[in-house]
Amino acid sequence: NNCGASSHLYEQIPPISSWGTSYAFTPFEEKGGDIVRFLAIEDNTEIYSSCDQLFTTLDAGESADFLLSEASLFFSEKNFLMAQYMTGAECSTPLQGDPNMLILTPISQGNTSISFKMQEALDDQPPLDPLNPILPAYYINVVMPTSSTGELLYNGTPVSGAWQAFNSTPELSFIAINTSSFTEVQTLSSTGDATFSAIAYGITGYDAYTWSLGANAPLTYASESSLFSLGEDITACEGSSVILSPDDPELILTWSTGEIANSIEVSEAGVYSATLSGLCSSSSDEIELSFTPAPLSFITQNQTICEGESTTIEVENPNPNFSYQWSNNSTEQFISVNQPGTYTLSTSDNLG
C-alpha cells in the first residue's frame, strides 16, 4: 500500500480444533481502519457480516483480505480463522503505528476473568511529524453481551465509558478502554456469568504492539442456536426435587428462573422454560412439572391372638395401581402371620 513503515509479520496458527464460527472485529483506536484476513478450512465457507448479509465465500485453504473501519461481527456455519492487521504509520492519520498481526479469538471462547500485563515502553525515536508529536497510547478492546456490560471490572473497578452495540447484532457490545495503568498485573473480570473477549495494544509514531488476552473453552455463543429438548412433562412425588436438563449436556441455557446453566434443580410445580441464544437466532423449550401426593395405604388394626393360632393382616381398600411390600417380603395385598411382632407395609405407585 506504499506505506512508509513495513515489517515482517508472522504468527503461529492455532490448532484447527480451536477455530470458531464467529468473530468480532473492533478497530484499533487512532488508526482509521485495519486489514482483516479470513482463512477457510472447508469448501464453500460462507462468511456473513450480518444475519442475512453474505460477506465472502471461500474454499478450503483460500484466504481473503479486506480493509475495515467499522466494528463488525462475522460468522459462518463452518469454522474459519480471522486475523487483524495494524497498518504502518503513513497509512493513517495521524501518522502513527507500525505493522502488527493479531489472530483473533472466537467469540464463543470468551473468559470471565483474565490477568495480564501491559507493555509501557514503546520506541522513543523522534516523531514522524515534529510539529504534531504523537504520545504513546494504550488500549484494551473488550466485547461482551450488551445486557452484561455493567458487570465488567477493570482492576477491580467498574469500567467507565461508552459501550457501543454492534450494528448487525445489538445483543453484543464493545468498548475501547484507554489505559495508562501499568501495574505489575492487571485484571479484567465479570461479576456475573457472562463471558468476554479482549485484545490489548499500544501505539505511537514509530512503534506498536498487539496481543490477544486469552481464550477459554467454548461456552456461550454460536452463529446459529441449536435445537434442543427438555423432554416430556414430569410428574414427581410431593416433597421431592427434580433436576431439569436438555438432551445435550454441553449446552449452557438461560432458564426462566434466571439461572444460566446446563441444568437446574427445582422443587415447585410449574412450567419452566430455557433458551439457547445464538448471534442470529435462538431456540427455546419448556417443560411442566407437577407433584402428586405420596400413595397412602391403611392396614387392619393391632390384633391379639392365642398361641398357635394365625391371623390375616390386610390392606384396607387396596388400590390396583399400587405396589405393596411387607416387612416379611410379601408383595400381596394381605399376609397371614402366626408370630408376635410388628409388621410394616410400604406402598409405591408408578412414580416410586
Side-chain angles (χ1 to χ4, degrees):
N1 294 329
N2 298 318
C3 297
S6 60
S7 299
H8 294 286
L9 299 179
Y10 60 92
E11 182 65 88
Q12 180 173 334
I13 300 296
I16 291 176
S17 60
S18 68
W19 295 16
T21 58
S22 56
Y23 293 85
F25 165 75
T26 55
F28 296 126
E29 292 292 307
E30 304 185 26
K31 286 297 297 179
D34 312 311
I35 296 172
V36 298
R37 171 171 292 179
F38 303 100
L39 176 63
I41 55 173
E42 294 186 57
D43 288 340
N44 196 35
T45 298
E46 296 181 334
I47 299 174
Y48 289 80
S49 59
S50 66
C51 294
D52 56 0
Q53 182 64 51
L54 181 63
F55 191 78
T56 188
T57 301
L58 301 173
D59 286 331
E62 287 187 342
S63 64
D65 298 347
F66 300 90
L67 179 63
L68 302 177
S69 59
E70 181 179 330
S72 306
L73 296 174
F74 296 93
F75 46 88
S76 174
E77 293 184 355
K78 301 177 180 179
N79 286 351
F80 66 100
L81 190 67
M82 184 173 177
Q84 181 173 345
Y85 296 85
M86 182 181 292
T87 58
E90 293 186 8
C91 289
S92 62
T93 303
L95 302 176
Q96 61 179 339
D98 202 45
N100 268 267
M101 177 181 181
L102 178 68
I103 299 294
L104 297 179
T105 298
I107 296 173
S108 61
Q109 297 176 21
N111 294 275
T112 57
S113 179
I114 53 176
S115 300
F116 60 98
K117 294 179 66 175
M118 294 289 288
Q119 177 64 43
E120 179 178 9
L122 285 171
D123 201 321
D124 58 0
Q125 298 182 55
L128 294 174
D129 184 352
L131 299 179
N132 297 285
I134 303 298
L135 298 177
Y138 305 89
Y139 293 93
I140 304 167
N141 289 6
V142 183
V143 177
M144 72 183 305
T146 302
S147 60
S148 302
T149 55
E151 300 174 357
L152 186 67
L153 304 180
Y154 175 44
N155 292 334
T157 302
V159 172
S160 60
W163 288 84
Q164 300 178 63
F166 287 88
N167 290 334
S168 62
T169 310
E171 291 82 6
L172 288 178
S173 291
F174 69 96
I175 191 171
I177 303 172
N178 188 344
T179 181
S180 58
S181 176
F182 300 99
T183 56
E184 185 67 19
V185 176
Q186 300 190 65
T187 60
L188 279 172
S189 59
S190 172
T191 59
D193 296 319
T195 62
F196 59 86
S197 56
I199 61 174
Y201 54 100
I203 186 171
T204 189
Y206 276 97
D207 206 358
Y209 67 82
T210 61
W211 56 63
S212 170
L213 297 183
N216 209 333
L219 288 175
T220 308
Y221 291 98
S223 60
E224 300 291 337
S225 64
S226 303
L227 295 177
F228 67 95
S229 173
L230 297 178
E232 300 294 330
D233 293 342
I234 297 176
T235 301
C237 289
E238 193 173 64
S240 64
S241 62
V242 176
I243 294 178
L244 305 180
S245 61
D247 52 0
D248 185 342
E250 300 297 324
L251 297 181
I252 300 299
L253 306 176
T254 300
W255 294 86
S256 53
T257 60
E259 297 168 86
I260 301 176
N262 176 261
S263 62
I264 59 173
E265 185 173 359
V266 294
S267 57
E268 296 184 2
V271 176
Y272 295 87
S273 63
T275 300
L276 175 66
S277 297
L279 291 178
C280 285
S281 64
S282 63
S283 59
S284 61
D285 194 20
E286 64 180 28
I287 187 171
E288 184 173 4
L289 174 62
S290 58
F291 292 94
T292 185
L296 296 177
S297 295
F298 297 93
I299 57 178
T300 51
Q301 298 299 310
N302 295 338
Q303 298 183 40
T304 301
I305 60 174
C306 293
E307 187 175 352
E309 293 181 348
S310 63
T311 187
T312 298
I313 305 174
E314 60 185 347
V315 178
E316 297 179 353
N317 301 317
N319 189 322
N321 297 318
F322 290 176
S323 297
Y324 301 103
Q325 179 72 52
W326 294 86
S327 54
N328 67 353
N329 294 323
S330 174
T331 57
E332 302 296 330
Q333 296 176 3
F334 63 90
I335 57 173
S336 179
V337 297
N338 57 14
Q339 296 294 323
T342 300
Y343 296 87
T344 59
L345 174 68
S346 298
T347 307
S348 60
D349 59 11
N350 63 330
L351 300 177

